């Protein structure tokens, strides 16, 4: 059984895959100063409640974009499973080639997104990830990682708006019924339009065979 762990800036996700489907997943808050033993307690409790034995885990893969946690999580996973985690990076064989300035600087979340999308479509694709940051990753038909556009995630941007303005409150994000807003909740539409605009623009540039350096919104 495969254990996949994704350490993001806001959440850490643990997932179990049996080779055919995802069986279970758990999500916890990312806390940068937690020690390996603290994450270990959570991890063992998750498995216990799911009725999964530690020795059932024969593969472990770890993606992390939070350097202070990466080594601690690797240490915890190795100690509890007895398996050295495969660390996602541009240096391992993912099936992708990279057309970016410095592949070593790529976030492992972007690499994981690109691999998953290309494995699913086996064709050119754009991956939109609504995380702490909103990212648009482009992969061509030959599994070349072309590049990425990055914007503040919607929750991060809303926190900045609420903190930097006098009259915009922190709101719950809900899907409004129409594009023209009658209250602050319509900010969600701004992010929907931004994501669709960037995706459409990048796809149009790919169809016109423009190099990534010439892509414009």
């Amino acid at each position: 059984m495969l254990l996949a762990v994704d350490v993001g800036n806001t959440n850490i996700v643990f997932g179990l895959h049996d080779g055919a489907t995802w069986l279970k997943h758990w999500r916890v808050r990312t806390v940068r100063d937690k020690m390996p033993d603290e994450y270990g307690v959570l991890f063992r409790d998750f498995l216990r409640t799911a009725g999964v034995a530690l020795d059932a885990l024969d593969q472990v893969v770890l993606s992390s974009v939070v350097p202070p946690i990466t080594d601690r999580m690797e240490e915890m996973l190795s100690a509890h499973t007895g398996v050295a985690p495969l660390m996602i990076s541009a240096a391992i064989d993912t099936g992708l080639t990279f057309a970016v300035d410095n592949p070593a600087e790529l976030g492992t979340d972007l690499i994981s997104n690109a691999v998953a999308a290309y494995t699913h479509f086996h064709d050119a694709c754009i991956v939109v990830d609504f995380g702490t940051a909103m990212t648009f990753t482009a992969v061509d038909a030959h599994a070349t990682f072309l590049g990425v556009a990055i914007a503040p995630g919607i929750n991060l941007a809303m926190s900045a708006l609420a903190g930097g303005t006098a009259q915009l409150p922190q709101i719950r994000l809900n899907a409004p019924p129409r594009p023209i807003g009658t209250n602050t909740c319509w900010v969600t539409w701004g992010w929907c339009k931004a994501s669709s605009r960037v995706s459409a623009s990048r796809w149009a540039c790919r169809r016109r065979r423009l190099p990534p350096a010439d892509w414009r919104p």
Side-chain angles (χ1 to χ4, degrees), residues 151-189:
I154 187 168
N155 283 312
L156 183 63
M158 280 307 303
S159 295
L161 279 173
T165 59
Q167 291 188 301
L168 286 178
Q170 186 74 47
I171 62 167
R172 182 183 297 276
L173 297 175
N174 294 308
R178 56 187 181 277
I180 302 301
T182 56
N183 60 53
T184 309
C185 294
W186 261 254
V187 70
T188 308
W189 265 105

Side-chain angles (χ1 to χ4, degrees), residues 74-135:
E74 182 181 12
E75 175 187 336
M76 184 277 289
L77 293 171
S78 296
H80 285 78
T81 66
V83 178
L86 174 66
M87 308 296 291
I88 298 297
S89 76
I92 68 173
D93 182 10
T94 60
L96 299 177
T97 55
F98 297 92
V100 297
D101 295 340
N102 188 353
E105 294 180 347
L106 276 175
T108 59
D109 54 342
L110 303 177
I111 297 171
S112 300
N113 286 346
V115 171
Y118 189 82
T119 300
H120 181 77
F121 292 110
H122 294 286
D123 203 352
C125 52
I126 294 172
V127 189
V128 184
D129 185 346
F130 287 83
T132 307
M134 183 167 65
T135 60

Side-chain angles (χ1 to χ4, degrees), residues 41 43-52:
V41 170
F43 173 60
R44 294 182 73 101
D45 191 49
F46 290 152
L47 294 183
R48 183 168 51 253
T49 57
V52 176

